[in-house]
Amino acid sequence: MKKIIISLVLGIIVSILFMVNSVEASSNKVSLDSIEFQVQINSDGSMDVTEIWDVTIDEKSTLYKTFKKDKEKYSKITNIKVSEIIDDYEKPLEEENLWSYHLEEGKYFAGTNEDKEFEIAWGTKDYGMTDYKISYQVEDAITQYDDCAELYWQFLGEEFGLKVDYIMGTIFLPSYAQDNEDIKVWGHTENMDGFIYVEDTNKIKFFVDFFRPGRYVEVRTLFPTEMITSAKRTKNQQRLNQVIKEETVWANEANEKRERKERIQKMIIIIINVVAIIFSIFGIRSIIKNSKKMKQTRKMEQTKKITPSQKMQYYREIPSEDSTPAEAVRITLKNQLRGLNQSKHIGRIFSATLLDLNLKKVIKFEVINKIVTIKILQDNPKELIGAEEIEIFEFLKKACEKHNGEITVKELQKHIKKSKSEVLILSGKIDTITQNVLYQKQLEDKKSKEQKMKINTNFCVMIFILIFLIPIIIAFIKEYAIYPIGMIILAIVVGIQMIMYYKMSHRIDILTQKGVDEKEKWEGLKNYMQDFSMLDKREVPEIVIWEKFLVYATAFGIANKVLEQLKTVYPNINEQFDINHYGYMYLMLNTDFSSSFSQAISSSMSSAYSSATGGGGGFSGGGGGRTEVLVEAVLDSLLINKR
């Protein structure tokens, strides 16, 4: 058991680390791993720019880059080319003259978009990793002053809609300066995760990490004015000291922000570690408390896993003559917490109950010209039938009132489809009534069920904390390059608690000893009905008994298989029944009643139970499911052997 716990905890931690690395995964059709800028400043004040985009494509899309029109920054953009780089070979894209929101693969557009901004856009392929190369010339990008020349350029703006993991750039000046000190450089970006420096007397390098949409990347450089020989944008004024003063103020503000960010980082890591440790302490106390409980309960006979008093593969009688089809189905459910609120259960129970009502002479089946009709024989049969059967009878009676006291199967189907809310109410009533009946018969223990639901709720809380909350917190902290050990400790504690809640849940039986014994009998009868043709014929009961058996076979969804075996064991079975004396037995043997009726009702119930049209109905599988269903799915997925 220790090895299992260690393996599970390690698996949980690995899952957390994996989720942390995946939590920031973009939902975009395209993601940018990197952008490399190669810039050549020309002596006439223009600038040649080449951008290489390292792209991962999940779905065909259109990439674009927008340049805000600003006469103070540049006059126009020309010489645009776009190509795809395939194995170091450049494949030029074909130019489109008209702007379009979506562009086909292999085509690009360069011009004014619908927002009156200049845009370069191109269509991507369907899937894969590739590089795109964009080249263009920015005219009048340099302003020439008396004491310096200035480039102040935004390489990515706030309107850029993709995240980029890594940005790098190289800027070449028109000629060499006498000294690196003659070149001044500054970089601006919102999160300050960048670095810029003068690499040589004619070369500038800059880098930015973790670019996100809504931010910007811009570079400002001052270099000797004599490098520009024929600029169109000139100003007869001194600029150098003014820019240095301005950038010094911004640099001081940035340094203060960095210091403040570092202080916040320290506070965050302290707070999170303290909170995580506090919760870990409470978690450890809970683990110790639950461990003691589990040790104590092992010594108590009544808390051990309840097993049948007698194991039986087959049972040849109805375990309880007063049990309704709904009770038989509920007690044999693998998970009693789920209940009967599923279309397959309700449909089968509805069908089987009608068969049972026919046996009790509350209703009657008739066949006229191959059309199956249901007639009401008694108006108030409450003393003859179970509480949930009364609800089904009232539903049927209401449907028959519109058809003069009788209704065909097809008319009943239509009525069910039109009565979505009534069907859902009926389903809930059947589930609640059946549960209360099992409590009254002491087949289910109410306190044990409530305890198990509470434990499973705690289990779900642990899942939420471990799978969602902790990874989100760690991902948030990761933005500050912090990985708090306190959260890892908390994850381990929560993981151990999960295991304990799992074990505690599976040691609690909802069924009592009486209930477990009766469930064993129902399972034995179900097995017998499915396999009786393979057994000694002397062990097969009188054929008339099968009329009652088929009620429960219908409830369990095995009626068709039982009928096929009956025909095999009794080749002349059709001669022994007629419609007048053996109503539904005759129908099931001589028509497709079992499949057409039972399956049709189940289908109709399912349609009413989960309407997808927006016109009302039960909740579908979209979004969160019921707590109990989620718990069972998660519990079943854990690699721990049930006791």
Side-chain angles (χ1 to χ4, degrees):
M1 190 62 202
K2 289 182 179 178
K3 291 182 179 179
I4 294 174
I5 294 174
I6 293 170
S7 299
L8 184 60
V9 170
L10 288 175
I12 289 167
I13 294 172
V14 170
S15 299
I16 290 173
L17 297 177
F18 176 78
M19 290 186 67
V20 167
N21 290 328
S22 303
V23 74
E24 291 185 345
S26 174
S27 60
N28 292 327
K29 299 175 184 178
V30 174
S31 60
L32 273 169
D33 299 318
S34 67
I35 298 181
E36 180 180 357
F37 294 92
Q38 298 174 2
V39 181
Q40 176 64 60
I41 297 175
N42 303 313
S43 60
D44 62 357
S46 65
M47 176 175 67
D48 295 322
V49 181
T50 298
E51 301 181 16
I52 299 176
W53 294 27
D54 184 0
V55 181
T56 300
I57 302 166
D58 293 326
E59 186 180 337
K60 182 179 288 188
S61 183
T62 299
L63 295 176
Y64 63 92
K65 180 170 180 180
T66 304
F67 300 81
K68 288 188 175 182
K69 292 184 178 179
D70 187 348
K71 294 297 182 181
E72 293 297 319
K73 297 289 185 181
Y74 71 102
S75 57
K76 61 181 178 178
I77 295 176
T78 59
N79 299 335
I80 298 119
K81 294 180 182 178
V82 181
S83 59
E84 182 181 2
I85 302 175
I86 304 173
D87 296 329
D88 296 327
Y89 167 75
E90 291 187 27
K91 179 183 177 182
L93 274 59
E94 180 183 349
E95 185 175 5
E96 278 280 354
N97 294 321
L98 296 176
W99 180 88
S100 176
Y101 191 79
H102 292 292
L103 289 171
E104 294 180 11
E105 178 185 356
K107 294 188 177 182
Y108 79 94
F109 168 81
T112 303
N113 63 16
E114 61 177 355
D115 296 324
K116 308 302 179 184
E117 303 285 0
F118 189 84
E119 179 179 288
I120 301 174
W122 65 96
T124 71
K125 59 184 182 181
D126 292 328
Y127 177 82
M129 299 176 64
T130 191
D131 289 345
Y132 288 103
K133 180 179 178 181
I134 319 162
S135 61
Y136 51 91
Q137 185 177 79
V138 183
E139 295 191 7
D140 304 324
I142 308 301
T143 302
Q144 188 177 26
Y145 295 92
D146 291 342
D147 57 348
C148 66
E150 179 184 31
L151 169 69
Y152 198 172
W153 185 254
Q154 194 169 86
F155 287 94
L156 291 178
E158 294 178 348
E159 74 286 347
F160 194 77
L162 296 174
K163 72 171 188 176
V164 188
D165 292 335
Y166 186 62
I167 296 171
M168 68 193 84
T170 305
I171 302 173
F172 291 95
L173 301 178
S175 57
Y176 289 89
Q178 291 184 0
D179 192 278
N180 286 5
E181 295 294 327
D182 295 335
I183 304 169
K184 308 297 181 184
V185 293
W186 299 271
H188 306 148
T189 186
E190 184 177 339
N191 62 335
M192 302 177 294
D193 287 335
F195 189 71
I196 187 169
Y197 64 96
V198 178
E199 186 177 70
D200 201 353
T201 54
N202 75 325
K203 186 190 296 185
I204 301 164
K205 289 270 192 177
F206 65 90
F207 306 91
V208 176
D209 289 326
F210 306 118
F211 176 86
R212 296 296 179 263
R215 298 177 181 176
Y216 57 88
V217 175
E218 62 185 18
V219 170
R220 191 180 203 178
T221 178
L222 303 178
F223 51 92
T225 188
E226 57 268 18
M227 288 186 181
I228 305 301
T229 59
S230 57
K232 295 180 181 178
R233 191 187 305 278
T234 59
K235 293 185 179 181
N236 295 323
Q237 63 184 65
Q238 302 291 317
R239 180 67 168 168
L240 181 62
N241 291 333
Q242 178 187 347
V243 171
I244 291 175
K245 184 178 179 180
E246 185 177 59
E247 289 291 344
T248 300
V249 172
W250 290 345
N252 291 335
E253 290 176 354
N255 289 330
E256 288 178 6
K257 286 182 180 180
R258 286 188 181 93
E259 290 175 2
R260 188 161 56 248
K261 185 177 179 180
E262 288 178 2
R263 290 195 297 269
I264 292 173
Q265 287 177 356
K266 291 178 181 179
M267 288 177 61
I268 287 174
I269 193 169
I270 291 171
I271 291 171
I272 289 179
N273 271 315
V274 169
V275 171
I277 290 170
I278 291 172
F279 277 101
S280 297
I281 291 171
F282 280 106
I284 292 168
R285 289 178 62 186
S286 176
I287 290 170
I288 295 171
K289 184 179 178 181
N290 288 330
S291 295
K292 290 179 179 179
K293 274 186 181 180
M294 291 173 70
K295 287 179 181 178
Q296 291 172 356
T297 55
R298 286 195 195 104
K299 299 176 182 179
M300 299 171 63
E301 186 68 28
Q302 63 268 29
T303 58
K304 290 182 179 179
K305 190 73 176 175
I306 300 175
T307 57
S309 300
Q310 181 182 353
K311 282 279 187 180
M312 52 186 71
Q313 184 178 3
Y314 298 114
Y315 193 74
R316 294 164 176 80
E317 299 175 10
I318 295 172
S320 178
E321 289 291 340
D322 65 342
S323 290
T324 63
E327 292 171 35
V329 171
R330 181 168 190 115
I331 203 168
T332 55
L333 291 175
K334 290 183 179 179
N335 180 7
Q336 274 77 29
L337 287 177
R338 291 188 183 182
L340 298 172
N341 286 318
Q342 297 181 53
S343 60
K344 68 175 182 178
H345 293 320
I346 296 299
R348 291 170 184 170
I349 289 169
F350 190 96
S351 304
T353 300
L354 294 188
L355 300 180
D356 197 33
L357 295 179
N358 177 81
L359 275 181
K360 294 174 180 176
K361 301 188 184 305
V362 175
I363 65 173
K364 181 182 179 181
F365 294 106
E366 289 186 348
V367 180
I368 302 174
N369 297 327
K370 296 184 179 181
I371 297 175
V372 182
T373 303
I374 305 172
K375 283 189 174 183
I376 303 291
L377 298 181
Q378 298 188 38
D379 287 335
N380 191 21
K382 294 183 180 180
E383 294 181 0
L384 299 175
I385 58 180
E388 73 274 16
E389 289 184 314
I390 292 172
E391 297 295 337
I392 293 175
F393 173 76
E394 293 296 332
F395 181 88
L396 177 65
K397 185 178 176 181
K398 184 177 179 181
C400 289
E401 287 175 356
K402 300 178 181 179
H403 300 275
N404 299 320
E406 60 182 56
I407 191 170
T408 66
V409 171
K410 287 188 178 180
E411 289 169 342
L412 181 57
Q413 286 178 246
K414 291 180 181 178
H415 177 77
I416 289 171
K417 288 183 178 179
K418 291 180 180 178
S419 308
K420 292 182 174 65
S421 59
E422 288 86 349
V423 169
L424 293 172
I425 292 170
L426 175 66
S427 171
K429 285 181 177 179
I430 292 172
D431 185 54
T432 302
I433 291 170
T434 308
Q435 177 180 265
N436 290 333
V437 169
L438 295 188
Y439 288 155
Q440 291 169 7
K441 291 184 176 181
Q442 296 182 346
L443 300 176
E444 276 191 12
D445 183 68
K446 189 174 182 179
K447 289 184 178 179
S448 295
K449 184 172 184 177
E450 291 173 350
Q451 185 182 4
K452 187 162 186 169
M453 289 180 69
K454 182 179 179 181
I455 289 172
N456 285 356
T457 300
N458 290 338
F459 183 86
C460 285
V461 171
M462 296 300 107
I463 292 173
F464 175 78
I465 293 173
L466 195 62
I467 296 178
F468 296 102
L469 191 59
I470 290 177
I472 288 172
I473 293 174
I474 293 178
F476 169 75
I477 298 170
K478 195 179 178 185
E479 286 284 333
Y480 297 92
I482 299 170
Y483 225 88
I485 191 65
M487 296 305 297
I488 302 299
I489 295 172
L490 181 61
I492 294 171
V493 172
V494 170
I496 295 172
Q497 283 184 297
M498 273 179 54
I499 296 170
M500 298 194 74
Y501 284 131
Y502 173 84
K503 291 170 64 179
M504 291 169 67
S505 175
H506 282 273
R507 284 180 179 170
I508 296 175
D509 285 293
I510 293 175
L511 295 178
T512 62
Q513 182 66 60
K514 183 180 177 183
V516 170
D517 290 340
E518 186 159 320
K519 179 179 180 179
E520 184 75 6
K521 292 177 182 178
W522 281 115
E523 294 287 357
L525 177 61
K526 185 177 178 181
N527 293 336
Y528 175 68
M529 289 191 292
Q530 294 184 95
D531 300 338
F532 75 90
S533 65
M534 300 183 296
L535 304 177
D536 190 334
K537 288 187 178 181
R538 289 176 298 180
E539 299 179 356
V540 178
E542 292 292 327
I543 195 167
V544 177
I545 302 298
W546 284 99
E547 219 177 14
K548 186 68 174 176
F549 278 8
L550 278 168
V551 171
Y552 299 103
T554 301
F556 294 138
I558 59 174
N560 283 341
K561 187 173 181 180
V562 173
L563 287 169
E564 288 300 319
Q565 293 189 86
L566 277 172
K567 292 175 183 178
T568 300
V569 175
Y570 299 100
N572 300 322
I573 192 172
N574 289 327
E575 300 173 5
Q576 302 183 44
F577 296 94
D578 62 74
I579 186 64
N580 295 319
H581 294 90
Y582 299 99
Y584 83 79
M585 191 71 167
Y586 174 85
L587 294 176
M588 296 181 80
L589 288 166
N590 293 278
T591 69
D592 62 346
F593 177 84
S594 177
S595 58
S596 66
F597 182 72
S598 183
Q599 292 178 16
I601 294 297
S602 294
S603 176
S604 301
M605 284 285 186
S606 179
S607 174
Y609 195 74
S610 274
S611 171
T613 62
F619 280 45
S620 67
R626 291 174 55 190
T627 301
E628 295 86 353
V629 179
L630 172 63
V631 171
E632 183 65 20
V634 177
L635 295 185
D636 289 344
S637 69
L638 290 176
L639 298 177
I640 301 178
N641 294 324
K642 299 180 182 179
R643 289 190 59 183

